[in-house]
Amino acid sequence: MVVIEDISLQSHSSSIITLSLLNGYVRRILDEMGIRFVMVPPTSLKKFAVGNGGAKKDVMIDSWIRLDPRLKDVKVKIDDLCDAGFLSVY
């Protein structure tokens, strides 16, 4: 089972088109391979993670670091790791 964060309907950047195309491609490949997947809306993920569907990214990050303190020292874009971490336990 693969859990994918759905595209935010609140996005207004030009990258939304690229993300939508990539999202559709990944879902098609998973379907063709017979791999089950579920799409999780960003607001549902935030509600699950911190109890607030409109939570800001820094609140999500702080919550995930409390669950996995090793991330405090990570030197990469931690917000994507945070989303992936919460999706893995969703």
Side-chain angles (χ1 to χ4, degrees):
M1 166 79 83
V2 175
V3 182
I4 303 170
E5 183 177 16
D6 209 348
I7 297 167
S8 170
L9 298 178
Q10 308 302 320
S11 297
H12 298 289
S13 68
S14 60
S15 63
I16 189 73
I17 295 169
T18 302
L19 289 174
S20 297
L21 291 169
L22 179 60
N23 184 294
Y25 179 74
V26 168
R27 293 187 319 191
R28 190 183 109 215
I29 295 299
L30 291 171
D31 189 52
E32 288 176 358
M33 295 175 68
I35 298 172
R36 295 179 337 155
F37 63 91
V38 63
M39 303 299 295
V40 178
T43 53
S44 295
L45 178 61
K46 291 175 181 183
K47 179 83 171 173
F48 169 77
V50 297
N52 176 1
K56 299 290 183 197
K57 191 60 78 170
D58 59 334
V59 174
M60 296 272 295
I61 292 168
D62 290 344
S63 180
W64 187 252
I65 288 174
R66 280 195 301 279
L67 292 172
D68 188 352
R70 297 172 300 168
L71 292 178
K72 202 179 326 180
D73 300 321
V74 170
K75 303 290 187 236
V76 296
K77 193 173 175 222
I78 195 169
D79 58 328
D80 292 333
L81 289 174
C82 166
D83 289 342
F86 279 118
L87 284 168
S88 74
V89 294
Y90 185 83

